[in-house]
Amino acid sequence: MTPLVAIVGRPNVGKSTVFNRLFGRRRAIVFDEPGVTRDRQYGDVELLGRKVRLCDTGGFLPTETEGVFALLKDQARIAVAEADVLVFVVDGRQGPTPADSEVADVLRRSRKPVVLAVNKVDADSVLPDAMACYALGCDTVVFVAAEHGRGFDELREEIVRKLPDAAMDDDLGLAAARQAGDALADAGAAEDGSDEVEFDAESGVAASGVAASGNAAGMLEGGGAEPPKPPRGGVVDRVRVCVVGRPNVGKSTLVNKVLGAPRVVTADQPGTTRDAIDIDFDVDGRPYTLVDTAGLRRKRSVDTPVERYSVSQAVRAIERCHIAVLVLDATQDIADQDAKIARLVEDRRRACVVAVTKWDVVDGEVKKPTNFDRGLDEALPFLVHTHRVYLSGRTGQRVHKLMEAVQKTFEAFDRRISTSAFNRWLQAIQLEHPPPMMRGKRMRIYYAAQIAMRPPVFALVTNVSDAPPPAYERFLIGRMRENWDLLGTPVRLHWKKKPNRRSTQALERLPAALRAGMAAVGDGTLALGDGDLQDLPDPTAPAWPGTEDWLDEVVDLDAAKDTDD
């Protein structure tokens, strides 16, 4: 089992900066303001050859009983209880404070190995105040400057020494491992720069104009490196589910109820969640990653750097997930911002499940699910095809149905339809409802095949160069959803005109060297934007009918025929 290293301390001493430095990239929000970090943030990393799991925590004030710090206290105690090694971070510029002494007492009673990291010691003039931190009674003290990476080789070394069954000494290669730690620190320091956060203009939940820099005091640090995206193609090992919605609609309460534990901080006031928190868990043996995100407000309401970055993380979480759970408040009417968030999910081509929370406080005689469905269809017509669950995150009513809907939606999102069955169905649909007239002649669909998954993408070969009217395309997609159970997932159709016989014969008459060069230019890989990538057969192969016209962009087939003659 991977050992856990928890980073704890009172507010605003640089815990998240230490976490980012050990992690190797900016992941946690850093801002010169107490209480920015709210939830426990986890990340796997390798320290001097040992794999460990880091845990960042919010400000720990053991005696606090009111406000947000009382909630953070419970999260910090959970981290202390489950950790194997504790990194106690204090501010070396201020020296030990009464709050530091209270935290030290709690850590001492836990009987866990403790490494005291005296942070912000970036100059010799700070050492007198920093030396006073020995009064906290910790055996192992390391002076560091997390912003500049100073002292982190020694910090990694002391953490590894205190790990369970980690009897490493210099004879076993700790000196060589220290060099690896220095290289990691240099790489982290070289990462410093600015990352401009752009908010989606069409969705209305994003705005531009925040440069994330780790140097300027009071500016936001975060988002330097993109989190790993799910693998394109192949088998998905873990389904990523992102919970999104407006502030204070019950997202975090719902996440805690699904997990069956108080994993994230919840409060009545909006804006409690800051980071996008990834949480791994299993349901009936199926692995999932649940991502709790910050509430998305209107563009004009986002006015602080912390909230801008929180919204940016939420948008990136949508892009990284397979399924987005759109949380709506049953006690409020559907707002324009709900529609903008739903459109954001649709534009990112992610599958969607609608969760209507706070259903326990709604009078069933006044607002029945059928009536709410009618309002949803009118306000969010592009989500008519989604699964909807009416539940309560507070009481747990119908929460189990949410994961059932998520599993069904992912099966549709990941569905592969055989080409023969799809073409038989397509021919029957054309007999039942013929395609429209296009430029004076009846449109005919000769052949179709699924060319990608997550989301499903289909290529249809026709006798016309233009796509059919949107009404007929919506008709086809709707019947596909009914026949193949594609509820909750976006479906995309690509229309291609079948090349005429003359172009096909001209292609066959081209010299072999020219055809090989053309195949190298069009290597058979179709880019599908935010969706997955599927490798297609060679476009020149006769076994893939209707695709020779892709090569028209490379060479004029009729001109090539005249040259060959």
Side-chain angles (χ1 to χ4, degrees):
M1 184 175 180
T2 304
L4 179 65
V5 178
I7 303 172
V8 296
R10 64 179 176 85
N12 209 29
V13 294
K15 297 182 299 299
S16 295
T17 308
V18 172
F19 175 85
N20 289 338
R21 181 65 64 176
L22 290 174
F23 193 70
R25 63 179 173 86
R26 296 170 183 150
R27 180 168 180 175
I29 296 179
V30 177
F31 194 71
D32 190 13
E33 176 183 303
V36 171
T37 302
R38 302 288 176 84
D39 301 299
R40 285 173 285 151
Q41 179 89 274
Y42 291 86
D44 295 324
V45 69
E46 186 172 298
L47 299 180
L48 306 185
R50 288 295 304 272
K51 292 182 179 180
V52 300
R53 188 169 178 81
L54 297 177
C55 176
D56 184 25
T57 62
F60 188 16
L61 296 177
T63 60
E64 194 70 26
T65 58
E66 296 181 356
V68 67
F69 287 109
L71 303 173
L72 303 184
K73 175 184 66 176
D74 298 333
Q75 294 289 319
R77 288 186 181 275
I78 294 174
V80 171
E82 65 184 10
D84 296 293
V85 177
L86 300 170
V87 177
F88 179 22
V89 182
V90 297
D91 190 338
R93 292 181 177 272
Q94 297 181 4
T97 64
D100 292 325
S101 300
E102 294 173 357
V103 175
D105 292 339
V106 173
L107 302 186
R108 192 177 300 111
R109 289 194 296 268
S110 70
R111 300 182 182 275
K112 301 289 182 68
V114 178
V115 177
L116 178 60
V118 184
N119 193 24
K120 305 182 183 180
V121 184
D122 50 4
D124 294 338
S125 59
V126 186
L127 283 177
D129 292 330
M131 295 292 289
C133 294
Y134 277 100
L136 295 173
C138 297
D139 296 334
T140 305
V141 180
V142 181
F143 299 100
V144 300
E147 188 173 354
H148 307 292
R150 179 179 180 181
F152 269 74
D153 53 349
E154 184 180 357
L155 178 61
R156 295 186 184 93
E157 181 178 318
E158 294 299 337
I159 291 174
V160 170
R161 286 187 186 277
K162 293 184 179 296
L163 292 176
D165 301 327
M168 296 180 62
D169 52 28
D170 291 343
D171 294 337
L172 294 178
L174 193 55
R178 180 185 296 180
Q179 296 180 358
D182 293 338
L184 181 60
D186 294 340
E191 186 187 5
D192 187 51
S194 63
D195 179 20
E196 193 159 293
V197 177
E198 292 291 341
F199 290 76
D200 188 84
E202 183 176 353
S203 67
V205 300
S208 63
V210 176
S213 173
N215 289 332
M219 293 302 293
L220 181 66
E221 177 181 352
E226 282 289 340
K229 294 185 178 180
R232 297 180 182 272
V235 178
V236 175
D237 295 330
R238 187 173 291 275
V239 180
R240 296 186 61 87
V241 182
C242 178
V243 182
V244 296
R246 291 186 292 125
N248 210 30
V249 296
K251 298 184 296 299
S252 297
T253 303
L254 177 59
V255 168
N256 285 339
K257 187 60 67 172
V258 170
L259 299 174
R263 173 62 181 82
V264 293
V265 174
T266 59
D268 293 336
Q269 64 267 24
T272 302
T273 302
R274 297 281 179 80
D275 291 283
I277 305 298
D278 293 13
I279 309 166
D280 295 339
F281 73 109
D282 294 346
V283 175
D284 297 331
R286 183 65 188 263
Y288 292 88
T289 295
L290 196 61
V291 185
D292 186 24
T293 63
L296 302 176
R297 297 200 295 167
R298 293 183 178 181
K299 175 181 177 180
R300 64 173 179 265
S301 301
V302 180
D303 53 2
T304 64
V306 173
E307 186 175 5
R308 290 193 185 103
Y309 181 68
S310 297
V311 173
S312 173
Q313 276 198 330
V315 173
R316 291 174 181 173
I318 294 175
E319 296 172 347
R320 292 187 292 118
C321 77
H322 297 108
I323 300 172
V325 176
L326 176 61
V327 180
L328 303 177
D329 190 342
T331 63
Q332 302 177 8
D333 294 333
I334 299 175
D336 292 341
Q337 186 65 8
D338 293 321
K340 291 177 181 178
I341 298 173
R343 178 62 68 181
L344 176 66
V345 174
E346 182 79 5
D347 292 342
R348 295 311 192 267
R349 303 186 183 95
R350 301 296 93 187
C352 184
V353 173
V354 177
V356 183
T357 61
K358 305 181 182 180
W359 200 250
D360 56 318
V361 299
V362 176
D363 189 351
E365 296 297 328
V366 176
K367 186 178 291 185
K368 296 181 179 180
T370 53
N371 297 334
F372 205 91
D373 279 338
R374 192 177 302 111
L376 273 177
D377 294 342
E378 294 176 357
L380 309 175
F382 46 89
L383 292 183
V384 174
H385 57 273
T386 58
H387 291 279
R388 298 168 183 176
V389 184
Y390 296 87
L391 48 82
S392 170
R394 184 177 63 88
T395 65
Q397 177 186 5
R398 300 194 192 95
V399 169
H400 65 283
K401 293 184 177 294
L402 176 62
M403 295 311 299
E404 294 176 2
V406 166
Q407 180 58 32
K408 292 179 181 178
T409 302
F410 179 76
E411 291 173 357
F413 190 63
D414 194 45
R415 179 156 293 136
R416 163 67 74 180
I417 301 175
S418 68
T419 301
S420 58
F422 186 69
N423 279 275
R424 287 194 299 269
W425 171 85
L426 188 60
Q427 295 303 320
I429 286 295
Q430 292 185 83
L431 293 176
E432 175 187 343
H433 195 294
M437 298 291 292
M438 300 285 293
R439 295 186 179 182
K441 64 178 180 180
R442 177 72 61 182
M443 180 182 187
R444 295 178 58 190
I445 305 176
Y446 297 117
Y447 179 83
Q450 184 177 356
I451 59 175
M453 301 182 300
R454 302 191 294 273
V457 182
F458 299 86
L460 297 90
V461 181
T462 69
N463 63 331
V464 295
S465 57
D466 298 330
Y472 189 74
E473 185 168 326
R474 289 194 299 268
F475 163 76
L476 281 182
I477 294 177
R479 297 299 293 271
M480 290 168 61
R481 295 188 191 279
E482 296 176 3
N483 191 77
W484 306 105
D485 192 17
L486 297 177
L487 291 180
T489 178
V491 178
R492 301 173 61 198
L493 303 180
H494 287 274
W495 301 90
K496 292 289 182 180
K497 181 182 178 181
K498 182 180 179 180
N500 55 39
R501 185 181 301 275
R502 178 184 177 186
S503 298
T504 304
Q505 293 175 349
L507 178 66
E508 295 175 351
R509 293 171 60 89
L510 290 176
L514 179 58
R515 293 185 59 184
M518 293 163 59
V521 174
D523 62 353
T525 300
L526 180 62
L528 302 176
D530 291 333
D532 294 330
L533 300 183
Q534 284 293 108
D535 290 334
L536 304 180
D538 185 354
T540 62
W544 186 256
T547 59
E548 293 87 351
D549 57 318
W550 294 350
L551 301 179
D552 290 347
E553 299 177 1
V554 181
V555 64
D556 188 335
L557 296 179
D558 294 334
K561 177 182 177 182
D562 297 338
T563 303
D564 190 39
D565 292 337

